Amino acid sequence: MQINGSKIISISCESTIHEAIFFMARNNIRRIVVYCNNKIYGIFTVDEALRNLLFKSEARLRDVELKKAVKISSTDVVHVVKSMVENGVDSVIYDDKIITEKDVVFSYDFPKVNVNNIAKEALQITPYTNVISAIEIMVKNGIRHLPVIEKEPVGMLSARDILYYYAQKYTVDVPVMDVMNPHLICVNENYPMSEAVKVMKEYNIGSLCINKNKIVTLRDFIRYIFTTFQIK
């Protein structure tokens, strides 16, 4: 099975972190390939953006620790997933295209195994939590999604939501309720993985709430594929 990616969207390493965030928001993307002297320097993702927002960095991208740009020689799903997992990245580069976790997960034919098998307990926040505190939780735990709970689930806060809000308001010192997506998509624990992915694809989301207290993300599906193929 071959995985199709999309054309690389790039930015100069001389750009500032804030310029990169605004660029991501305008183009509705979660990562940008960074070039220095006509060579790929690394990849700036929502993860790096959050970390630098937290520390109020105004650095240029050439001075920021970026994700490794992993180049691959084949778009075969096994090779793509192996490269992602072994290098700890959420995207790989093939020629002039970038292939992301979403490209893989939304293309893969998952079995009718309960999605609960790959779900995990979700870290949760309240609508009144400050977004800065939410960023700290995301950065500390290496996650991008936090279910928002007030007795019952009321929304989902994602790293993308935070960056896009910042690009519009120039601040993240606000309660989570101002930034979160109030349309939380949940399924029960007996939902098949194949159907869960269809729901994520329909709503173009990177995570899914399971039974109100668990969560499954694109990364969890990638790890499942990796384990299934016993890639070494």
Side-chain angles (χ1 to χ4, degrees):
M1 179 183 182
Q2 305 299 312
I3 304 297
N4 293 320
S6 55
K7 280 284 188 180
I8 288 175
I9 296 178
S10 63
I11 193 170
S12 166
C13 66
E14 295 302 322
S15 301
T16 65
I17 291 168
H18 287 179
E19 289 170 338
I21 291 173
F22 298 145
F23 187 83
M24 291 167 76
R26 284 198 307 272
N27 289 277
N28 191 30
I29 55 177
R30 298 171 179 81
R31 62 191 58 76
I32 317 175
V33 176
V34 180
Y35 276 81
C36 262
N37 300 318
N38 296 318
K39 293 182 179 179
I40 295 179
Y41 185 67
I43 300 179
F44 182 80
T45 75
V46 290
D47 301 325
E48 289 72 43
L50 283 188
R51 188 163 55 247
N52 284 280
L53 269 185
L54 189 60
F55 297 108
K56 299 181 180 179
S57 174
E58 298 180 1
R60 297 190 182 277
L61 296 179
R62 57 176 158 76
D63 300 319
V64 174
E65 184 178 350
L66 304 175
K67 276 196 173 62
K68 180 181 178 182
V70 177
K71 295 182 180 180
I72 57 175
S73 57
S74 166
T75 59
D76 176 75
V77 64
V78 175
H79 184 64
V80 171
V81 170
K82 181 174 184 288
S83 299
M84 286 180 173
V85 174
E86 289 187 347
N87 290 281
V89 296
D90 61 359
S91 64
V92 291
I93 292 174
Y94 177 76
D95 288 342
D96 61 345
K97 291 187 176 183
I98 186 167
I99 299 173
T100 68
E101 288 179 335
K102 182 180 286 188
D103 294 325
V104 176
V105 174
F106 286 4
S107 300
Y108 192 75
D109 185 19
F110 286 94
K112 293 184 178 179
V113 176
N114 288 354
V115 70
N116 192 55
N117 289 351
I118 63 170
K120 54 186 178 292
E121 292 294 323
L123 294 176
Q124 302 172 349
I125 53 176
T126 75
Y128 311 102
T129 302
N130 190 285
V131 172
I132 295 174
S133 297
I135 294 174
E136 291 175 344
I137 294 172
M138 288 182 176
V139 170
K140 179 180 178 180
N141 292 279
I143 58 177
R144 296 178 178 175
H145 303 87
L146 286 168
V148 185
I149 309 295
E150 189 177 20
K151 295 184 179 178
E152 293 290 323
V154 295
M156 180 74 78
L157 180 71
S158 72
R160 181 179 62 172
D161 295 331
I162 295 171
L163 294 191
Y164 290 4
Y165 184 89
Y166 179 80
Q168 294 177 346
K169 305 293 186 179
Y170 301 96
T171 183
V172 288
D173 189 12
V174 294
V176 163
M177 69 177 77
D178 290 356
V179 182
M180 71 180 190
N181 183 343
H183 306 294
L184 181 62
I185 310 298
C186 287
V187 298
N188 68 56
E189 62 184 6
N190 296 319
Y191 224 66
M193 290 173 60
S194 55
E195 295 301 314
V197 169
K198 287 180 182 178
V199 173
M200 294 173 71
K201 190 172 182 178
E202 178 183 354
Y203 290 96
N204 192 30
I205 53 178
S207 67
L208 200 58
C209 170
I210 311 295
N211 269 17
K212 299 182 180 180
N213 63 338
K214 288 188 174 183
I215 190 171
V216 65
T217 67
L218 294 171
R219 181 66 51 83
D220 297 316
F221 286 102
I222 290 291
R223 287 175 180 147
Y224 173 84
I225 298 171
F226 183 85
T227 302
T228 299
F229 280 104
Q230 296 182 333
I231 302 171
K232 298 180 180 179

